[in-house]
Amino acid sequence: MSKEQMLKELADAVVAGNKDLAVELSNKALEKGIDPYEAIVNGLAKGMEIVSDNYEKGTAFVPHLLIASNAMYGGMDVLSPHMKKVEGAAEPSTVVIGTVQGDVHDIGKNLVKTMMTAGGLNLIDLGHDVPLEKFVETAKEHHADVISMSALMTTTMVGMEKVIEMLQEEGLRDSMIVMVGGAPISEEFAEQIGADKTAPDAMHASHWVKDAVSELSPSEDRWSAAKINLAKVKYRDILSKKKVKSKTDIGLETAKQIIEEFESVGVKTKEEMSHAERTVSAMADKKVDRLPVYPLACGVLRKFANASYKEYATDPAKFAESAFLGAKYLDLDMFVGLIDLSATSADFGCTIKYPEDDTPSSEGHLEDYDKLEVPEVKEGTRAYELIKASKLAKDKLNKELGTPFVGFHEGPLLTLTQLMGADRVLMDMKTNPDAVLEGVQKCTDYICQVSEVFFEEDACDALCIDNLWSNNVIMSEEDYWKFDGKFIFDQHLPIFKKYDQPYMIHSCADAVHYDTQIKKFGTGLFSYAYYEKSKDKGSQNYADLIPKYGDTCCMMGEVDPIKFIDNSPEGIQSIENDTDDLLKGVLETLKENGMQSKYVMSTGCEIPPGGPLSGVKAMVDKVKELGPQYQKEIIG
Ligand code: B1M
């Protein structure tokens, strides 16, 4: 086999995600005397670039990227120890990578790591939920060339700025490149916090960093005491000019303002219908005074009860109090009982981290699919506590406010990924599908029990299930059906039929598999996100969705939840403008399609639970202000 052919086969093994073959071919390449560096760069890494490119084009999905990366690492383990140190050649640049404190999303960060490794960089992976000081300490310890930080939530992106400030304080900012990224990170944000660059995806991140490190001055120079002392002086000024950021709890602060206003003026508008009448009528496309409104404010409402997130998620009385006070002071048309997404997985025995005032998350994942034991929903399980909490909330909301309560719990595949680790399960779908199917079956058995107890205990007016992984970018429709949809269709939906309940889905994502999840399931309500920038990857808005699915399903979206973190007058104005546009657009589309009310004004996903409440109030008030007038003008 010629060298070119060998390199191509190495690349193909990575594209196929075949780790054994990549290892075998890497050994053969060594035997044939092919330079290991060339085998990595022009063989393994080339394959990774091809898969990554297919992902960007929408023809490959996350599980495929993960098995390709596994194959690449397998080959690299064989080849790397044989790379000769060329006299005088520079060491590979060192990148300290991680997802910032408070943020457990790590799939994108892992892909960035893979592509940077494929680009020949030396990666030190700190993992997810990384304490901010750890980035600085590790960079110092290794005289790093780059810090690469990811954040997937608006509430955690502020951590990136803090890391940069720490580097400035210690005079280290100019010693390395700082790159930031993740879905909410824009060019403007990166510039504003003093980062060097962001990139939209892993491939661009790796390409940019590779070029940028080649421009850096020698490490000894950048890390010299003289340079550090100079930088300390330079940034002292900049830091002292920065406003001293107040440590006020913005959620609590805004909750207090809303309570004060409520207590002085009460509910501003007297409306024709009760919350329940309006919501139930809209779901059935009957006449309403205005469309119902419920920005998905869940954990953030705990501020009205002055509860920590831990209390909101684990103490039924605090949960019910948060839901009740939030629905009362904001005058919501419904409340959805979404807590952290680890309640059902916790009951299988994985370890959950419960920070006092941040969303709990699953850690300490379990190892073996065949050893999973289906728990029983009973006193003391997290699922049962959630049902108890929901029952308390439902009774209070119904009785005192006439507001419907929608129960919420995780679907089968979400439970399994929380239990075993997302990357692991997504990869095993390709390499060990039978084991994953066994795991999904056990999770289905559990979540079916949980839904039954919700209905038996009369703990909700309706029940919404998180179908997290149903995203065009993450998983193909075929895989979604195989590893989640089919289980829901065959086993979970019949429970809803038995109790004569509509199936409700929350997806946490845009670009989902609507044909399966709405048409095939016959879903009654679907909470979806829409992002203009993902339109070419399948994100759809009300104008696409109402004509296609309006006959079956009441859609619920699509003001961007990320906007709710901005408490400035401009930020609030922007939420009001989006609400106004959405309200008008939805009503016009309903009218064109012979409908009148089948839509809930909402946000694509949960309002960040660490943010302010003013945006939530602004959105609700706008719908109350304009809704009745538009309803008359447009629907008649
Ligand atoms: Co969560 N989640 N989640 N979630 N989740 C999001 C991020 C959210 C946007 C959903 C939504 O609103 N539509 C939302 C945040 C909203 C906001 O910020 N305002 C959200 C929320 C609210 C939450 C919880 C709070 C929900 C709850 O518990 N109540 C909770 C937070 C827990 C915590 O972090 N403390 C939570 C939990 C989870 C799971 C654990 C269940 C799971 C993560 C599993 C895991 O990662 N191990 C999860 C998931 C999967 C998502 C969505 C659906 C998908 C994220 C993902 O993996 N995308 C997400 C919705 C969405 O983004 N559509 C959502 C695929 C991945 C390949 O893309 O990570 O963007 P991404 O990486 C890309 C680029 O961004 C870029 O390259 C990557 C690949 O090319 N990139 C960089 C990434 N890092 C980069 C660095 C760079 C450059 C480019 O330079 C350094």
Side-chain angles (χ1 to χ4, degrees):
M1 197 190 296
S2 69
K3 184 171 98 181
E4 281 62 39
Q5 217 172 339
M6 176 61 92
L7 294 176
K8 183 175 178 311
E9 291 212 0
L10 275 169
D12 289 348
V14 171
V15 174
N18 190 335
K19 183 179 177 187
D20 292 345
L21 185 60
V23 168
E24 189 190 317
L25 289 168
S26 299
N27 279 313
K28 273 201 189 137
L30 287 177
E31 280 164 27
K32 279 184 164 289
I34 295 175
D35 175 17
Y37 178 75
E38 208 180 338
I40 292 177
V41 174
N42 294 331
L44 299 170
K46 185 130 251 142
M48 201 61 226
E49 287 266 335
I50 295 170
V51 185
S52 197
D53 200 35
N54 291 342
Y55 172 75
E56 295 314 324
K57 285 193 217 129
T59 54
F61 301 94
V62 169
H64 194 173
L65 287 180
L66 294 172
I67 53 168
S69 122
N70 198 31
M72 182 191 79
Y73 285 126
M76 283 179 78
D77 285 346
V78 174
L79 294 164
S80 305
H82 297 272
M83 277 172 36
K84 287 187 205 81
K85 172 93 185 70
V86 181
E87 201 63 36
E91 290 286 336
S93 302
T94 298
V95 184
V96 175
I97 193 166
T99 308
V100 296
Q101 192 162 7
D103 203 321
V104 302
H105 300 89
D106 61 1
I107 295 173
K109 182 272 293 171
N110 290 343
L111 297 180
V112 174
K113 174 186 168 189
T114 302
M115 293 313 293
M116 289 188 182
T117 308
L121 303 165
N122 169 35
L123 271 288
I124 300 176
D125 185 3
L126 302 178
H128 58 259
D129 190 11
V130 178
L132 304 178
E133 317 74 50
K134 183 98 181 139
F135 283 101
V136 181
E137 282 161 19
T138 315
K140 252 178 11 191
E141 188 188 333
H142 294 270
H143 284 192
D145 302 289
V146 183
I147 287 184
S148 167
M149 289 182 277
S150 297
L152 258 287
M153 297 197 292
T154 37
T155 38
T156 53
M157 54 202 255
V158 288
M160 295 168 157
E161 185 172 13
K162 291 200 183 118
V163 172
I164 293 176
E165 284 171 1
M166 283 184 229
L167 292 172
Q168 291 173 335
E169 254 162 42
E170 297 206 29
L172 302 175
R173 175 62 192 91
D174 296 345
S175 303
M176 72 202 91
I177 291 164
V178 178
M179 192 168 188
V180 292
I185 310 300
S186 62
E187 294 275 353
E188 299 75 54
F189 176 77
E191 195 182 327
Q192 181 198 319
I193 64 169
D196 293 297
K197 186 76 182 165
T198 183
D201 55 60
M203 199 158 64
H204 286 93
S206 159
H207 288 167
W208 183 84
V209 133
K210 244 169 76 179
D211 287 344
V213 290
S214 68
E215 308 275 311
L216 283 174
S217 61
S219 177
E220 311 79 70
D221 179 27
R222 282 180 281 125
W223 283 90
S224 69
K227 272 272 153 72
I228 292 174
N229 284 335
L230 261 179
K232 267 190 196 156
V233 177
K234 170 176 161 193
Y235 287 109
R236 195 175 298 149
D237 258 13
I238 296 177
L239 283 168
S240 68
K241 276 186 203 138
K242 276 195 166 184
K243 272 188 249 142
V244 185
K245 297 212 174 95
S246 68
K247 288 225 180 305
T248 50
D249 178 336
I250 192 69
L252 198 58
E253 201 78 352
T254 45
K256 277 186 195 149
Q257 286 161 11
I258 293 169
I259 295 172
E260 261 170 41
E261 189 187 323
F262 181 93
E263 272 162 5
S264 64
V265 285
V267 175
K268 265 193 219 149
T269 30
K270 197 94 203 94
E271 300 199 283
E272 284 172 30
M273 297 176 95
S274 73
H275 298 301
E277 280 165 354
R278 183 178 302 116
T279 305
V280 170
S281 300
M283 280 190 66
D285 197 38
K286 294 205 174 121
K287 193 169 169 53
V288 291
D289 54 350
R290 62 163 171 84
L291 292 186
V293 56
Y294 172 54
L296 262 173
C298 310
V300 68
L301 299 189
R302 75 192 185 283
K303 293 297 173 185
F304 286 112
N306 204 358
S308 67
Y309 201 104
K310 187 175 172 191
E311 289 170 327
Y312 168 75
T314 58
D315 177 341
K318 289 279 186 190
F319 171 88
E321 188 69 358
S322 304
F324 169 70
L325 293 177
K328 171 179 156 183
Y329 291 127
L330 292 164
D331 205 22
L332 304 172
D333 281 321
M334 65 165 100
F335 174 79
V336 177
L338 187 163
I339 53 171
D340 59 292
L341 304 176
S342 45
T344 47
S345 55
D347 292 338
F348 276 88
C350 70
T351 321
I352 310 291
K353 180 177 164 189
Y354 293 99
E356 204 46 54
D357 212 14
D358 213 337
T359 330
S361 54
S362 64
E363 308 234 302
H365 299 129
L366 303 189
E367 280 298 316
D368 304 311
Y369 293 96
D370 58 353
K371 296 213 177 88
L372 297 181
E373 280 178 31
V374 183
E376 194 191 325
V377 185
K378 58 175 189 217
E379 194 83 39
T381 59
R382 277 206 70 196
Y384 193 73
E385 293 303 300
L386 174 62
I387 294 166
K388 231 162 64 181
S390 300
K391 170 92 180 130
L392 278 177
K394 181 209 160 197
D395 289 348
K396 214 162 157 74
L397 260 73
N398 284 182
K399 195 162 141 235
E400 296 189 33
L401 304 170
T403 306
F405 174 88
V406 178
F408 188 97
H409 68 82
E410 302 88 29
L413 188 58
L414 171 52
T415 302
L416 187 68
T417 51
Q418 292 283 63
L419 192 50
M420 315 286 285
D423 269 11
R424 151 97 193 272
V425 174
L426 293 172
M427 192 155 77
D428 287 345
M429 281 177 181
K430 296 285 160 210
T431 54
N432 198 2
D434 290 343
V436 177
L437 289 170
E438 185 182 344
V440 178
Q441 180 58 62
K442 289 175 180 169
C443 292
T444 307
D445 290 345
Y446 191 50
I447 66 125
C448 284
Q449 260 192 75
V450 176
S451 293
E452 283 234 46
V453 181
F454 253 108
F455 294 138
E456 279 298 321
E457 305 263 321
D458 192 20
C460 57
D461 295 302
L463 189 56
C464 183
I465 306 300
D466 197 327
N467 273 232
L468 178 77
W469 298 106
S470 55
N471 184 319
N472 270 343
V473 184
I474 296 175
M475 200 181 291
S476 68
E477 186 138 18
E478 197 187 336
D479 278 349
Y480 167 69
W481 173 252
K482 182 172 171 187
F483 292 104
D484 205 26
K486 188 172 181 335
F487 291 84
I488 291 170
F489 189 76
D490 291 342
Q491 295 163 56
H492 199 206
L493 279 169
I495 293 168
F496 284 66
K497 294 220 171 77
K498 178 172 148 193
Y499 289 91
D500 198 20
Q501 285 281 340
Y503 201 63
M504 293 188 174
I505 292 183
H506 172 65
S507 74
C508 269
D510 60 341
V512 297
H513 304 308
Y514 298 105
D515 279 350
T516 303
Q517 295 186 303
I518 296 180
K519 279 241 148 71
K520 196 159 171 69
F521 289 1
T523 297
L525 183 135
F526 196 105
S527 141
Y528 72 101
Y530 169 69
Y531 297 118
E532 184 77 37
K533 67 175 186 200
S534 312
K535 192 131 185 109
D536 63 335
K537 294 210 162 132
S539 195
Q540 299 184 45
N541 70 357
Y542 65 86
D544 305 309
L545 296 169
I546 291 173
K548 272 194 243 166
Y549 305 113
D551 55 341
T552 323
C553 187
C554 178
M555 303 306 297
M556 170 165 174
E558 67 189 57
V559 175
D560 187 348
I562 285 173
K563 291 201 165 181
F564 287 71
I565 204 80
D566 184 353
N567 203 31
S568 68
E570 301 77 39
I572 300 294
Q573 185 63 56
S574 166
I575 292 172
E576 289 178 344
N577 293 347
D578 286 4
T579 305
D580 186 345
D581 291 346
L582 181 67
L583 188 57
K584 225 185 284 162
V586 162
L587 286 170
E588 278 160 5
T589 311
L590 287 172
K591 174 86 178 168
E592 280 159 25
N593 288 276
M595 297 159 74
Q596 57 178 332
S597 62
K598 213 169 178 183
Y599 195 90
V600 178
M601 294 290 295
S602 184
T603 45
C605 194
E606 191 191 2
I607 300 290
L613 282 148
S614 24
V616 184
K617 179 160 167 51
M619 181 170 173
V620 175
D621 285 353
K622 200 76 211 157
V623 176
K624 284 166 57 183
E625 177 198 331
L626 299 175
Q629 174 200 334
Y630 285 175
Q631 199 71 29
K632 283 199 189 93
E633 281 171 15
I634 300 170
I635 302 292

